[in-house]
Amino acid sequence: MQINFVSLSDVVRAIAPRVDVAEEEVELYSAQPANDGPLWEMLARRPARQCFQESRAAIQLLECLFKTSAGPRWFDTVLRGYPLQSEDARKEGRDELVRFVNQEQEFKASVERMRSPFARWHDRRFDGENQPARALDYPKMRRSNEIGFDRTELISYLVDNGVSYSPQLLAPPRTEPPAPSTSTACGQLPEVPSYLASGAVARAFDGCASWTKSEWSRMLGDAGPWLSAARRGPKTATHSPALWDPVIIARALAAGVRRKRQIDGTQKYIEVKTSLRRLDRVFEHPEMHEWRKSWEREREELETYQVDNTDPA
């Protein structure tokens, strides 16, 4: 029987957007925006919101999956290099969900420490490189990428138990893009874009933020916090490679990412933004054809917020 595997971490991320978090709570634990404007305010609040939503999504899963001994089967992709049913995976899954739950308190504690007048780095702003963001570093939860469920079985179980989730985030990734289609059958929803392999992402984003294709490949192989947010699917030596959401990567590049540059003989971090026009060229690649409409919608939102683009490359 073919198992349509979905990882535990992807399930948490699919439920998280449907979790309501009070704006007052998000604001209390958010960084000061790097610049003025609604977009920068939204980006400053994203780490706290994402952390809180995922922690509370994990609580829902704990209550749903472990309230009885019955439930969807658990699978481990490491034992044989393919999804293999495992009771141990169920036990480990519970531990991983508890880690997700604890993530919120760890995040809040780290923010309080950073804001303390006695903190060593009390005068540093929170950004994609600092302590709060590291609370969302998915490589630290690698096991949750390796264990999971049969996708169809899990979705049926979530529906039966009234757990709301984002259908797009639980859609199965495809390794080969379908032929482009200009029409959609009456009443039929358009297909969800395929997440992209690392090689396709490196080729498409070659030159963005002055990173070459080989530099992109290295970064995708050891993703930091801002890239981890775009990662989808498992990433193990014995299973399928990581897959990526290119629109999330493009959004981060438009807002600005930090990179090292040699300035006056010294290595320094600077913020590099990529223009929307340059990102348009990324989505002209043949491998990006499924993502063009998603990028157009995202581009309109970015234009609305009037992002200051400073990378004309």
Side-chain angles (χ1 to χ4, degrees):
M1 179 181 177
Q2 183 71 28
I3 301 300
N4 188 354
F5 180 78
V6 59
S7 72
L8 177 60
S9 60
D10 278 347
V11 176
V12 172
R13 286 198 288 265
I15 295 173
R18 301 301 178 93
V19 176
D20 292 329
V21 180
E23 285 297 325
E24 296 80 6
E25 187 175 9
V26 173
E27 185 177 2
L28 183 61
Y29 289 96
S30 294
Q32 290 296 320
N35 292 296
D36 293 332
L39 175 61
W40 290 105
E41 182 176 320
M42 178 187 71
L43 292 175
R45 294 183 179 186
R46 180 177 295 157
R49 186 188 310 280
Q50 181 180 347
C51 177
F52 298 167
Q53 287 180 318
E54 290 179 359
S55 287
R56 297 171 197 188
I59 293 174
Q60 290 187 30
L61 277 176
L62 279 171
E63 295 173 348
C64 172
L65 295 172
F66 296 95
K67 63 182 179 181
T68 67
S69 57
R73 294 170 297 166
W74 287 77
F75 295 88
D76 191 336
T77 62
V78 173
L79 297 175
R80 293 290 185 270
Y82 56 86
L84 185 68
Q85 188 173 350
S86 168
E87 186 60 28
D88 288 339
R90 185 176 189 272
K91 298 174 183 176
E92 292 182 86
R94 184 169 189 163
D95 292 340
E96 288 297 301
L97 286 172
V98 170
R99 291 185 190 179
F100 272 107
V101 172
N102 292 339
Q103 183 174 270
E104 177 173 341
Q105 293 305 318
E106 292 170 359
F107 186 100
K108 290 179 177 178
S110 69
V111 171
E112 295 296 343
R113 286 195 300 270
M114 295 289 285
R115 288 176 174 169
S116 167
F118 304 104
R120 182 178 179 183
W121 304 108
H122 68 278
D123 59 336
R124 293 180 63 183
R125 283 185 172 182
F126 303 133
D127 55 33
E129 301 294 328
N130 66 14
Q131 181 74 16
R134 284 199 297 271
L136 305 178
D137 196 352
Y138 287 105
K140 294 180 181 178
M141 294 199 174
R142 185 174 58 87
R143 191 64 178 133
S144 63
N145 290 325
E146 299 171 339
I147 58 178
F149 314 89
D150 175 77
R151 193 181 308 266
T152 304
E153 192 174 305
L154 184 278
I155 290 175
S156 176
Y157 192 79
L158 294 180
V159 171
D160 290 344
N161 285 272
V163 178
S164 180
Y165 65 92
S166 171
Q168 180 172 349
L169 293 180
L170 276 186
R174 299 187 299 272
T175 55
E176 294 295 332
S181 174
T182 57
S183 62
T184 302
C186 180
Q188 180 180 352
L189 293 176
E191 292 189 359
V192 176
S194 306
Y195 296 129
L196 300 179
S198 298
V201 173
R203 287 189 293 273
F205 285 93
D206 180 20
C208 290
S210 300
W211 281 308
T212 64
K213 182 173 70 174
S214 60
E215 287 175 319
W216 273 102
S217 295
R218 285 196 296 272
M219 290 193 302
L220 294 166
D222 185 20
W226 73 270
L227 265 179
S228 293
R231 182 159 53 206
R232 299 291 181 265
K235 180 177 185 291
T236 71
T238 56
H239 197 57
S240 57
L243 298 171
W244 304 89
D245 184 328
V247 171
I248 292 179
I249 296 175
R251 180 196 304 155
L253 290 171
V257 295
R258 296 181 68 195
R259 64 157 300 164
K260 282 184 179 180
R261 278 192 177 168
Q262 190 85 8
I263 300 176
D264 297 330
T266 305
Q267 289 278 0
K268 296 183 178 179
Y269 277 103
I270 64 169
E271 186 181 74
V272 178
K273 301 174 188 176
T274 304
S275 68
L276 298 181
R277 183 176 299 178
R278 175 65 181 87
L279 291 169
D280 287 341
R281 299 210 303 270
V282 168
F283 290 89
E284 291 173 1
H285 281 249
E287 293 163 304
M288 291 285 192
H289 71 83
E290 288 185 81
W291 290 92
R292 287 172 191 162
K293 288 186 177 179
S294 296
W295 167 242
E296 288 171 4
R297 290 192 295 268
E298 182 68 26
R299 193 189 200 285
E300 288 179 5
E301 182 179 345
L302 292 170
E303 283 184 319
T304 299
Y305 288 122
Q306 297 181 339
V307 177
D308 179 22
N309 302 299
T310 57
D311 178 15

